[in-house]
Amino acid sequence: MRVLGIESSCDDTGVAVVENGEIVENILIGQEHFGGVIPEYAARFHHLAIYNAVKPFFYDIDLIAYTNGPGLMGSLFVGSSFAKGLAYGANIESIAINHIEAHMMLPYWVYRFDFPFLALIISGGHTLLVFVRGIGDFEIVSRSIDDAVGEVFDKIARHIGLGYPGGRLIEELAQEARGVYSFEFPKPMMNSDNFSFSGLKTAAINQISRDSVVERKADFCDQLQCHVARILIDKLARFQKLYGVRNLVVSGGVASNKVIRGKIQEFAENLQCQLFLPDINLCGDNGVMIAALGELRFEIFGASGLNIKPFSSFV
Ligand code: KG4
Ligand code: ZN
């Protein structure tokens, strides 16, 4: 079965084709940023990009999977209306996909390990820990009560003049760190099941915003990403112990950070757990994860039908 995946929840238009557990096509069309995502502009961009993005890949398709939420409503309307119209016109089935579940299930689709597993989803819009019992059978056990972890990177990057999206730029600058300057960051909600990142964001911005020395900024970025990794690992450890799971997944845009990947890998090895991470280029938003979850879910739950509405918020 050939599945076309269409991702349009935020700013990038992702289109991919998968077939029997393999990636056949994968493209991501990014849009220009103006220091952040402007919802109205993002929707217009998808509207212009989507036809040309899909057209070369639309051959022998059996199923269309598209992001149905959570995300920006305008962007979701463009992608989901296009997908449903295309499915109707071509007389093929379509399936609505939850963006967060797609991030979470991509490593399973690639590596096919045993259930249950514990998934940490770290993106620009969400920070969640999910206990996954099977395909479509999961429970959110922890979430951020305020900002998502990616938001910390994006806001700080803006304050220190790096631009958007912040995480990758912070990681790049951190490579120039020399460990000359040291910074103190708060570790919020350590005794709680949930995450909180707004205090860390404010404290971090207060320490660096008046700074223009590049060497200090590089040390700051380096220590910030290590600190974020520690916060994530703390919570992962808490729930790994509670559920006694041996398989761990980390995904979402922030999971492309090599320092965070490395530290979580070390943690998993110490606990003799298996860690499954998407390839770096598949951590952020992409069409592959949408097509992949479409393939997995279709086998069990079938198609979605066309009377289905996008939704903006997951939790
Ligand atoms: O999953 P994603 O592409 O979109 C959402 O679903 O939100 O995640 C985007 C987030 C942004 O906050 C971005 O700054 C962060 O992922 N990100 C990173 C890195 N690359 C992207 N954070 C840390 N290090 C990176 N290398
Ligand atoms: Zn995402």
Side-chain angles (χ1 to χ4, degrees), residues 122 149 152-153 156 162 166-177 183 185 197 200 204 217-233 254 256-264:
I122 39 179
V149 59
V152 176
F153 290 123
I156 289 170
L162 292 179
R168 188 174 45 79
L169 302 168
I170 284 184
E171 183 176 6
E172 270 169 32
L173 184 55
Q175 281 162 12
E176 289 165 37
F183 298 88
F185 299 112
F197 285 103
L200 168 62
K217 285 192 201 174
D219 281 357
F220 174 87
C221 289
D222 179 44
Q223 289 164 41
L224 177 71
Q225 56 185 11
C226 292
H227 185 75
V228 166
R230 280 194 293 272
I231 293 176
L232 297 173
I233 288 170
V254 178
S256 60
N257 185 292
K258 294 193 198 74
V259 171
I260 293 175
R261 290 169 85 90
K263 292 205 178 293
I264 297 180

Side-chain angles (χ1 to χ4, degrees), residues 40-63:
E40 172 72 20
Y41 181 84
R44 286 168 187 240
F45 176 85
H46 286 300
H47 187 253
L48 286 177
I50 202 157
Y51 170 68
N52 287 326
V54 169
K55 198 175 164 218
F57 298 161
F58 198 68
Y59 50 90
D60 301 332
I61 295 296
D62 304 300
L63 174 70

Side-chain angles (χ1 to χ4, degrees), residues 17 45-46 67 93 111 144 161 167-168 215 264-265 267 276 284:
V17 176
F45 176 85
H46 286 300
T67 306
E93 302 278 26
Y111 300 108
S144 175
R168 188 174 45 79
E215 290 77 15
I264 297 180
Q265 181 67 52
F267 155 79
F276 299 94

Side-chain angles (χ1 to χ4, degrees), residues 20 32 138 192 204-205 295:
N20 305 326
E32 195 186 335
F138 57 86
S192 157
I205 288 170
E295 190 176 81

Side-chain angles (χ1 to χ4, degrees), residues 122-195:
I122 39 179
S123 71
H126 293 86
T127 308
L128 298 170
L129 259 168
V130 188
F131 180 61
V132 187
R133 294 189 194 85
I135 296 166
D137 181 7
F138 57 86
E139 188 185 329
I140 296 168
V141 296
S142 170
R143 67 192 69 179
S144 175
I145 58 158
D146 40 55
D147 293 335
V149 59
E151 171 103 6
V152 176
F153 290 123
D154 293 334
K155 286 281 154 58
I156 289 170
R158 189 193 295 175
H159 270 267
I160 61 177
L162 292 179
Y164 182 89
R168 188 174 45 79
L169 302 168
I170 284 184
E171 183 176 6
E172 270 169 32
L173 184 55
Q175 281 162 12
E176 289 165 37
R178 290 189 313 193
V180 175
Y181 304 96
S182 69
F183 298 88
E184 291 283 324
F185 299 112
K187 239 181 158 191
M189 309 263 292
M190 291 331 281
N191 295 318
S192 157
D193 282 351
N194 288 323
F195 294 94

Side-chain angles (χ1 to χ4, degrees), residues 7 9 99-100 103 123 252-253 283-285 289:
E7 154 60 29
S9 66
H99 178 89
I100 303 299
H103 274 303
S123 71
C283 284
D285 295 347
M289 66 183 196

